[in-house]
């Protein structure tokens, strides 16, 4: 199960290239995010451009701010096969994934970080995805999947997601893009193929 709320930009206001004042499930930490429709056109990613196969109708962008940041705090399960006892035994693995991209040859980009914290909010581990460079996109407008997985650090109780869009050049549009953001947990029990990271 994906622990991220509105990781696909489908909920709440949006659908155009105009910035929105709030984003469902996320706190706007900085800047002016936009939830852009794939049908908007005008150089933005379209349904036929590289991106998630099972994409919805919208994606995140940096709007018109040089730096836009969205934050979401996720509470990890307390019970069950991926609950606290399993985490503290080192028997839970996480997978964080996101489709990240940008526009043509520009180096505007998006970066997702996942920081695991203990009950007091002390950082325990950090995973970072992106940004995806223009070369990695083959200078084409679109999004590329990035994924990372490892053991959830013992003592972790929450995960802070930070989604940052950065404009590298001139102009007003921050063309860092993101979609299909996911954080999932799975029990390893110490016996799952592949073991622990």
């Amino acid at each position: 199960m994906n622990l991220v709320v509105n990781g696909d930009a489908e909920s709440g206001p949006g659908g155009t290239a105009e910035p929105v004042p709030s984003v469902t499930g996320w706190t706007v930490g900085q800047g002016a995010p936009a939830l852009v429709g794939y049908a908007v056109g005008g150089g933005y990613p379209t349904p036929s451009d590289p991106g998630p196969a099972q994409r919805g109708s919208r994606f995140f962008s940096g709007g018109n701010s040089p730096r836009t940041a969205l934050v979401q705090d996720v509470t990890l399960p307390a019970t069950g096969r991926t609950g606290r006892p399993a985490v503290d035994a080192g028997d839970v693995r996480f997978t964080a994934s996101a489709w990240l991209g940008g526009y043509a040859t520009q180096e505007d980009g998006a970066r997702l970080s996942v920081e695991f914290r203990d009950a007091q909010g002390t950082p325990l581990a950090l995973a970072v995805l992106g940004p995806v460079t223009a070369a990695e996109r083959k200078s084409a407008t679109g999004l590329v999947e990035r994924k990372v997985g490892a053991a959830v650090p013992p003592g972790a109780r929450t995960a802070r997601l930070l989604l940052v869009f950065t404009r590298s050049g001139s102009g007003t549009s921050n063309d860092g893009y993101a979609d299909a953001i996911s954080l999932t947990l799975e029990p390893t029990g110490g016996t799952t193929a592949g073991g622990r990271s």
Side-chain angles (χ1 to χ4, degrees):
M1 183 182 72
N2 185 8
L3 299 177
V4 181
V5 176
N6 194 28
D8 55 7
E10 295 300 302
S11 299
T16 73
E18 295 299 314
V20 294
S22 63
V23 179
T24 300
W26 300 80
T27 298
V28 180
Q30 183 181 3
L35 279 58
V36 183
Y38 280 105
V40 165
Y44 286 102
T46 70
S48 60
D49 285 322
Q54 301 299 321
R55 75 188 78 185
S57 64
R58 307 191 301 192
F59 59 91
F60 297 98
S61 92
N64 58 12
S65 175
R67 187 179 189 275
T68 292
L70 296 176
V71 181
Q72 182 172 148
D73 288 312
V74 174
T75 300
L76 304 183
T79 60
R81 298 179 66 206
T82 58
R84 293 173 183 173
V87 165
D88 294 347
D91 290 338
V92 178
R93 182 178 177 84
F94 78 90
T95 300
S97 65
W99 286 76
L100 307 172
Y103 173 76
T105 59
Q106 293 183 5
E107 291 294 350
D108 297 7
R111 183 184 77 244
L112 175 70
S113 63
V114 181
E115 183 179 76
F116 289 94
R117 300 179 170 190
D118 66 14
Q120 287 71 47
T122 304
L124 300 175
L126 178 68
V128 179
L129 300 173
V132 172
T133 65
E136 290 171 322
R137 294 185 279 103
K138 298 178 172 53
S139 296
T141 298
L143 298 92
V144 178
E145 186 178 28
R146 290 290 181 261
K147 184 180 293 189
V148 64
V152 177
R157 297 294 180 261
T158 63
R160 169 161 287 190
L161 278 65
L162 176 61
L163 183 59
V164 177
F165 306 87
T166 304
R167 189 175 70 209
S168 65
S170 59
T172 58
S173 181
N174 181 335
D175 288 304
Y177 309 137
D179 200 358
I181 299 162
S182 174
L183 176 64
T184 59
L185 306 179
E186 63 175 341
T188 64
T191 60
T192 299
R196 303 186 184 118
S197 296

